[in-house]
């Protein structure tokens, strides 16, 4: 017998409509609220209550309860306070929310599909109460959550958080979002021994069994949700690449760790390169860390060079990888297949493991960290980087904050204020030489909401590499004159909806050029009309 949990929301249209209108509006009916009640004052009151919480995880829980009680108030608060709330509902706080998920669990927020559901996955997918409204789904198997490792079903807050950013950042309707966690066990011994752990208490299965489960899941997703765009999130490195390749032409699908991260870093590098007084073809990029995100970034950064007229082979030669065993080169032992494209083909020296020595050898102009190794960019590494170029590009991109390869203050101090900086997690501004400097944050939130919105609106049959590249170019071109004057690498997050709309237009045009769009009416619109159309489709609370 299958037991179906009743979700905390009701599929009944009347109740759902009332919920979407927001409890604050309902209370504004005469007699149901105090005489001086107003929606604005209630939002101010809610913000004060949020700020009274002592820890980030308390704030996360408070916002989760607000979202359950009044979805409109939650998103109004988000839109009016993006810099403050984004780090709470996603990185870095979402990492703690995942670690404590089984302990703090209160109510279902998405679908859980386990290995035990093999053979009936379609039935489980149909249990979602808003099955006909779904347009975007974030799917994780919890096997590589941020830099925290295999968390199993405790990865659900990742899917929930990403979809909240789709709503806040691009105006996707809340009722159109579908978080899914695939429970295929876990290799985390702590989870397996935790009496409160909510997932299957077994190790992950073999490759063949995993593949068969994923084949059924994707087949049923296409059947039950033919209008849904799927984002894969936080799959282990081997599965991230293999499942992207296996399924990207079966349904509209992309992997944010590989493609979204690559796009946001490409955009940041394009912005940073404007501040470095050397030609594009003289840049040398060193990536420290060679997992799925890093190799995905490296592949996307090929465009940094090819857009400037360089050949693919010339572009490849400007990119170096360093993994846990050192510089990646052909002939070195234990180099995974997915890294081989960027393995140095003509290196004949001894294995090189020390990052300082590697930086001295490569002489990179840009150093990118995706290693989750705290403090890997030592003062010496930063000083050597500063000898290679007058404006070293230093991007410690690992999440959450405590896993960052260096801090903003360290990058500025040890480069004598010359570093162009962007990180994966947020850092505060710093004053150096009497000048206040603002850090960039290479947050995927700049990319995936607009990419998803564009793909949904043009009803894309697949998400092509050209669509991902278009999102990066759209972001790189979105900085205002004021932001450029301050040498910002990324625009201010307060403008996220404006940025997402512009990116969506560029993504739609790329889909049309690739002939993967199904909404032919959009082809007849010029860019101005298309931008107006995109904005008209963005939900606002």
């Amino acid at each position: 017998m299958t037991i179906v949990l009743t979700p905390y929301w009701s599929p009944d249209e009347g109740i759902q409509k009332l919920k979407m209108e927001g409890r604050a509006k309902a209370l504004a009916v005469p007699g149901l609220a105090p005489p001086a009640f107003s929606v604005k004052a209630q939002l101010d009151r809610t913000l004060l209550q949020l700020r009274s919480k002592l820890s980030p995880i308390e704030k996360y829980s408070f916002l989760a309860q607000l979202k359950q009680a009044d979805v409109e108030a939650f998103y109004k608060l988000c839109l009016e306070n993006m810099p403050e709330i984004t780090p709470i509902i996603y990185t870095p706080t979402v990492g703690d929310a995942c670690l404590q998920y089984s302990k703090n669990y209160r109510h279902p927020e998405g679908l859980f599909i386990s290995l035990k559901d093999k053979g009936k996955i379609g039935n489980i997918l149909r249990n979602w109460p808003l099955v006909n409204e779904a347009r975007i789904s974030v799917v994780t198997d919890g096997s590589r959550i941020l830099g925290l490792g295999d968390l199993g079903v405790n990865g659900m807050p990742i899917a929930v958080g990403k979809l909240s950013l789709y709503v806040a950042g691009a105006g996707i309707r809340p009722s159109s979002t579908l978080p899914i966690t695939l429970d295929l066990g876990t290799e985390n011994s702590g989870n397996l021994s935790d009496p409160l752990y909510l997932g299957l208490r077994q190790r992950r299965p073999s490759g063949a069994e995993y593949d068969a489960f994923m084949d059924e899941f994707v087949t049923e997703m296409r059947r039950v949700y033919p209008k849904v765009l799927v984002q894969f999130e936080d799959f282990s490195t081997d599965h991230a690449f293999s499942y992207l390749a296996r399924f990207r032409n079966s349904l509209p699908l992309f992997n944010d760790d590989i493609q979204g991260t690559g796009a946001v870093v490409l955009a940041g590098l394009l912005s940073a390169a404007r501040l470095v007084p050397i030609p594009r073809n003289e840049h040398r990029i060193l990536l420290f860390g060679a997992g799925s995100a890093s190799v995905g970034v490296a592949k996307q950064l090929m465009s940094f060079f090819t857009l400037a007229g360089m050949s693919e082979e010339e572009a490849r030669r400007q990119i170096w990888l360093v993994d846990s065993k050192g510089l990646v080169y052909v002939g070195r032992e234990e180099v995974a297949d997915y890294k081989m494209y960027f393995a140095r083909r003509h290196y004949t020296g001894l294995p090189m493991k020390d990052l300082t020595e590697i930086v001295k050898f490569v002489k990179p102009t840009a150093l990118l960290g995706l290693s989750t190794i705290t403090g890997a960019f030592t003062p010496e590494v930063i000083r050597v980087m500063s000898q290679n170029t007058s404006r070293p590009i230093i991007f410690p991109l690992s999440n959450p904050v405590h896993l960052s390869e260096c801090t903003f203050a360290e990058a500025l101090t040890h480069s004598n204020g010359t570093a162009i900086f962007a990180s994966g997690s947020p850092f505060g501004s710093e004053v150096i030489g009497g000048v206040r400097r603002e850090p960039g944050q290479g947050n995927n939130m700049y990319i995936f909401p607009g990419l998803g919105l564009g793909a949904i609106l043009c009803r894309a049959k697949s998400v092509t590499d050209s669509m991902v590249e278009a999102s990066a170019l759209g972001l790189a071109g979105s900085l205002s004159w004021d932001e450029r004057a301050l040498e910002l690498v990324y625009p201010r997050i307060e403008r996220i909806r404006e940025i997402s709309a512009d990116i969506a237009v560029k993504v739609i045009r790329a889909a049309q050029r690739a002939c993967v769009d199904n909404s032919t009416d959009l082809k007849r619109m010029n860019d101005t009309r298309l931008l107006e159309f995109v904005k008209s489709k963005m939900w606002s609370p």
Side-chain angles (χ1 to χ4, degrees), residues 210-454:
Y210 223 108
D211 290 349
F213 177 91
M214 291 299 299
D215 285 341
E216 180 183 342
F217 170 72
V218 169
T219 297
E220 293 302 326
M221 277 294 290
R222 186 172 61 240
R223 179 177 294 131
V224 178
Y225 296 100
K227 298 179 180 179
V228 164
L229 171 71
V230 176
Q231 174 185 316
F232 278 178
E233 186 74 23
D234 286 356
F235 281 73
S236 62
T237 296
D238 52 345
H239 286 158
F241 280 102
S242 64
Y243 291 149
L244 176 61
R246 189 183 187 102
F247 300 122
R248 66 180 305 179
N249 294 318
S250 299
L251 74 173
L253 164 74
F254 73 102
N255 183 302
D256 188 53
D257 302 301
I258 296 173
Q259 296 162 290
T261 302
V264 79
V265 176
L266 172 59
L269 194 62
L270 288 167
S271 296
R274 299 189 190 108
L275 305 173
V276 183
I278 62 173
R280 183 89 61 88
N281 62 358
E282 292 183 15
H283 278 280
R284 295 177 300 280
I285 303 170
L286 179 63
L287 293 99
F288 180 66
S292 58
S294 186
V295 175
V297 167
K299 289 181 176 179
Q300 199 66 57
L301 292 184
M302 294 281 288
S303 297
F304 177 79
F305 299 106
T306 57
L307 287 167
M310 297 173 67
S311 69
E312 181 178 330
E313 176 58 23
E314 289 171 333
R316 188 192 62 79
R317 288 202 298 263
Q318 301 303 107
I319 299 172
W320 284 257
L321 293 183
V322 178
D323 64 12
S324 60
K325 296 179 176 61
L327 184 68
V328 176
Y329 60 91
V330 174
R332 200 200 75 183
E333 295 181 357
E334 299 181 53
V335 176
D337 289 344
Y338 69 88
K339 305 176 189 179
M340 284 304 297
Y341 180 80
F342 292 102
R344 307 310 296 179
R345 299 179 184 179
H346 304 296
Y347 178 75
T348 57
L350 295 173
M352 197 177 296
K353 297 183 179 180
D354 181 74
L355 182 57
T356 302
E357 293 304 311
I358 293 171
V359 170
K360 288 179 180 178
F361 172 74
V362 174
K363 293 181 173 57
T365 57
L367 176 62
L368 279 56
L370 297 106
S371 67
T372 68
I373 298 177
T374 309
F377 295 173
T378 64
E380 180 64 13
V381 166
I382 297 169
R383 282 193 288 267
V384 174
M385 278 292 300
S386 302
Q387 295 168 11
N388 299 330
T389 173
S390 60
R391 300 298 306 273
I393 298 170
I394 299 176
F395 286 7
L397 299 169
S398 292
N399 285 314
V401 171
H402 73 272
L403 297 177
S404 183
E405 287 81 5
C406 72
T407 66
F408 185 36
E410 290 166 345
L412 290 177
T413 298
H414 302 299
S415 69
N416 293 318
T418 62
I420 302 169
F421 180 94
S423 58
S425 290
F427 284 96
S429 62
E430 297 284 344
V431 176
I432 186 163
V435 178
R436 181 167 295 279
R437 297 278 298 278
E438 295 186 39
Q441 185 187 353
N443 192 329
N444 290 20
M445 182 185 178
Y446 282 116
I447 291 290
F448 65 79
L451 175 59
L453 179 62

Side-chain angles (χ1 to χ4, degrees), residues 120-142:
K120 53 186 178 184
I121 291 176
N123 293 335
I124 303 298
L125 289 171
R126 291 182 181 90
N127 282 341
W128 186 246
L130 301 175
V131 63
N132 294 323
E133 295 187 40
R135 293 294 181 272
I136 174 73
S137 179
V138 174
V139 180
T140 184
D141 71 346

Side-chain angles (χ1 to χ4, degrees), residues 5-51:
L5 288 173
T6 302
Y8 72 88
W9 61 87
S10 168
D12 177 81
E13 291 184 1
I15 295 177
Q16 183 65 22
K17 184 174 185 295
L18 179 60
K19 193 173 192 67
M20 290 299 296
E21 288 176 349
R23 185 170 298 176
K25 289 183 179 179
L27 288 174
V29 174
L32 296 183
F37 177 87
S38 73
V39 173
K40 182 184 183 307
Q42 185 65 13
L43 284 175
D44 293 341
R45 192 174 291 114
T46 303
L47 187 60
L48 285 173
Q49 293 169 4
L50 172 67
R51 290 171 175 169

